[in-house]
């Protein structure tokens, strides 16, 4: 007998519909899996047959052929165990159900018959809804993740016997439901707070501007000035994730298996801090079969690169295209995958090899130049704000008064983001000022005569590039939004120029 079971294969962060065809034929008892399976899928033959017998079912006799269609899509991972097991039961007539055509199923089988969690369930659930499935059967630990997809019934199962009993109508499984409002209402109130930071008011202002417009930041200062401390507090002033953003973030984290059992969504903006020894594959993604890297795990959040010059130059150069496009395409022999990477880059570095400012350093000019040359000019142009982080004075360290709390700063950031949301309403790929394209800049960043004259003088004096010109306008628009100003004036331009001069002092 022939049985057809619906499943899905994950490639990149997208899922593709797969039909598991199981045929129970005559001949020597043998299980054959075809349809471009990888090693984990081929090994499912032994897992599934053992799980069937340990669950009280009979091992089908004869030649069993399992085809994973379409055959031109590579099938990876253990998520096909459950549909293969159900297909073998249906093909051998140990299971009779009318629901197999309307339910998509995924899950790994233990030798005991228990159903274990798998990766990429959110992408699979979205695909199930897109192809018109009534429901999806998933491991219990993945149920909350799949249940965030509206309009799809999610049936959590703990073992193979429970799945078979439900499909035959002998048991009832209540569809899993999650309260999205409750998920987003939970905030990390114990996270790092800007109130703990003594002094550094100018740096806090720069980080507020960066958060309000989604801009990239480079902090330059001696060791011990609080660069890492400030960066770790940046997520606390970013606006909350919207549902669509949370779904994108969760899909990436689900693919790499970073969701906790029972976790439904990633509701906090990611903060990724890779070590400076990270490879280009670790940062961008890759391996034989392309998987998301650190920049995709930081999607809609913050990527913090501490000790920036210590990263390999070729690794840093790979950031240029993702910073511009908001996504990264990885090409390998197995295929080409595109992953989202709309992150805020926050970098920190010392001004010289020994950590002191250039006028105080014991390093030679050549040593300083070689140290700074590890960061290319094109990469610097893609960083909107360059901020000097000075030593904190004794009076500021010992002051009893705390700094402004993150909650107060976040209110101003959210208000500025709301203005941007209204401005770019309905425009794809533009959610904040940092993502503006050339036509958006022309429309929303028009200058009067006085600010235009000021900017022209600064461009000539500092020898800034055309890309730097665009970024000055974007940051100025953000400063104007924080001030609730309709247009960009000279004060906004002047403040922005403060964040473009430090790189010329060091690199010029």
């Amino acid at each position: 007998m022939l049985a057809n079971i619906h499943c899905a294969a994950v490639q990149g962060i997208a899922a593709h519909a797969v039909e598991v065809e199981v045929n129970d034929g005559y001949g020597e008892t043998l299980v054959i899996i075809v349809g471009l399976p990888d090693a984990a899928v081929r090994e499912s033959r032994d897992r599934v047959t053992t799980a069937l017998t340990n669950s009280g079912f009979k091992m089908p006799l004869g030649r069993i052929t399992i085809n994973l269609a379409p055959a031109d899509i590579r099938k990876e991972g253990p998520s096909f165990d459950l549909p293969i097991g159900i297909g073998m039961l249906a093909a051998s007539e140990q299971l009779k159900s009318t629901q197999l055509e309307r339910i998509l199923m995924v899950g790994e089988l233990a030798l005991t018959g228990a159903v274990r969690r798998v990766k990429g369930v959110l992408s699979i659930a979205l695909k199930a809804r897109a192809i018109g499935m009534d429901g999806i059967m998933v491991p219990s630990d993945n149920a909350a993740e799949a249940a965030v997809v509206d309009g799809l019934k999610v049936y959590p199962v703990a073992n193979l016997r429970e799945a078979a009993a439900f499909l035959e109508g002998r048991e009832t499984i209540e569809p899993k439901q999650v309260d999205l409002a409750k998920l987003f209402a939970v905030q990390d109130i114990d996270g790092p707070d800007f109130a703990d930071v003594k002094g550094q008011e100018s740096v806090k202002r720069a980080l507020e501007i960066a958060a309000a417009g989604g801009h990239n930041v480079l902090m330059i200062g001696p060791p011990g000035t609080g660069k890492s401390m400030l960066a770790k507090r940046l997520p606390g002033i970013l606006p909350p994730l919207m549902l669509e953003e949370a779904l994108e973030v969760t899909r990436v984290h689900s693919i790499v298996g970073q969701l906790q059992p029972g976790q439904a969504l990633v509701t906090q903006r990611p903060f990724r801090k890779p070590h400076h020894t990270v490879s280009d594959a670790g940062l961008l993604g890759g391996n034989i079969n392309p998987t998301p890297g650190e920049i995709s795990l930081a999607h809609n959040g913050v990527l913090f690169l501490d000790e920036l010059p210590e990263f390999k130059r070729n690794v840093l150069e790979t950031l240029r295209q993702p910073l511009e496009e908001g996504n990264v395409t990885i090409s390998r022999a197995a295929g080409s995958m595109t992953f989202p990477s709309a992150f805020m880059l926050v970098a920190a570095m010392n001004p010289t090899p020994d950590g002191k400012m250039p006028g105080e350093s014991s390093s030679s000019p050549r040593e300083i130049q070689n140290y700074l040359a590890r960061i290319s000019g094109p990469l610097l142009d893609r960083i909107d704000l360059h901020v000097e982080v000075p030593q904190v004075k004794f009076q500021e360290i010992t002051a009893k008064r705390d700094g402004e709390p993150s909650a107060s700063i976040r209110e101003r950031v959210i208000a500025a983001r709301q203005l941007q949301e209204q401005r770019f309403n309905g425009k794809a790929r533009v959610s904040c000022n940092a993502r503006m394209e050339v036509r958006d800049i022309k429309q929303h960043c028009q200058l009067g005569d006085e600010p235009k004259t000021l900017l022209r003088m600064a461009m000539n004096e500092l020898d800034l590039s055309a890309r730097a010109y665009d970024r000055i306008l974007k940051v100025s628009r953000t400063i104007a939004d924080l001030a609730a100003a309709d247009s960009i004036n000279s004060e906004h331009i002047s403040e922005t120029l403060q964040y473009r001069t430090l790189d010329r002092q060091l690199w010029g």
Side-chain angles (χ1 to χ4, degrees), residues 123-350:
S123 294
I124 294 173
L126 290 168
K127 185 63 178 180
R129 183 180 65 178
I131 62 177
M133 290 286 113
D134 291 339
I136 180 171
M137 182 180 291
V138 299
S140 298
D141 286 342
N142 289 120
E145 175 187 350
V148 302
V149 180
D150 189 36
L152 186 71
K153 294 180 180 179
V154 178
Y155 301 105
V157 292
N159 54 65
L160 184 59
R161 290 189 63 84
E162 182 183 5
F166 168 72
L167 291 171
E168 288 189 320
R170 294 184 284 109
E171 288 189 14
T172 301
I173 299 177
E174 289 297 325
K176 178 71 174 181
Q177 295 181 341
V178 296
D179 187 345
L180 293 177
K182 185 176 180 180
L183 288 176
F184 283 99
V186 178
Q187 298 295 328
D188 186 9
I189 59 176
D190 296 326
D193 197 296
F194 270 104
D196 304 329
V197 181
K198 302 289 186 179
Q200 304 296 16
E201 298 303 323
S202 60
V203 185
K204 292 179 186 177
R205 168 64 177 175
L207 292 179
E208 179 181 340
I209 295 170
H215 302 290
N216 305 317
V217 187
L218 172 62
M219 295 182 288
I220 308 173
T225 53
K227 300 186 294 294
S228 299
M229 185 180 186
L230 287 159
K232 291 176 181 178
R233 281 152 178 76
L234 181 58
I237 64 173
L238 290 174
L241 283 170
M242 305 296 289
L243 177 59
E244 290 301 320
E245 292 177 320
L247 287 173
E248 290 178 353
V249 174
T250 305
R251 289 178 70 183
V252 175
H253 284 245
S254 176
I255 294 299
V256 297
Q258 293 205 359
L259 292 185
Q260 298 300 317
Q263 183 179 0
L265 276 178
V266 177
T267 57
Q268 307 291 332
R269 292 193 180 269
F271 181 84
R272 305 295 298 185
K273 184 184 177 183
H275 193 261
H276 61 77
T277 57
V278 67
S279 65
D280 53 354
L283 195 64
L284 293 184
N287 300 322
I288 298 176
N289 298 310
T291 54
E294 289 290 339
I295 64 172
S296 295
L297 291 170
H299 179 59
N300 287 329
V302 176
L303 178 71
F304 178 46
L305 302 183
D306 202 4
E307 304 296 342
L308 188 64
E310 301 301 328
F311 286 79
K312 297 177 183 178
R313 177 158 180 165
N314 67 298
V315 173
L316 292 178
E317 291 304 297
T318 60
L319 290 174
R320 288 159 58 175
Q321 182 258 340
L323 284 172
E324 288 289 333
E325 302 295 334
N327 57 63
V328 58
T329 300
I330 308 295
S331 297
R332 295 290 185 270
S336 179
M337 303 291 177
T338 299
F339 302 114
S341 59
F343 59 91
M344 277 182 60
L345 174 63
V346 180
M349 62 174 289
N350 298 326

Side-chain angles (χ1 to χ4, degrees), residues 390-406:
Q391 291 283 4
V392 184
K393 298 179 181 179
F394 178 79
Q395 295 89 336
E396 295 174 328
I397 297 175
T398 56
K400 295 182 180 180
R401 177 183 165 188
D402 291 335
E404 186 178 16
S406 294

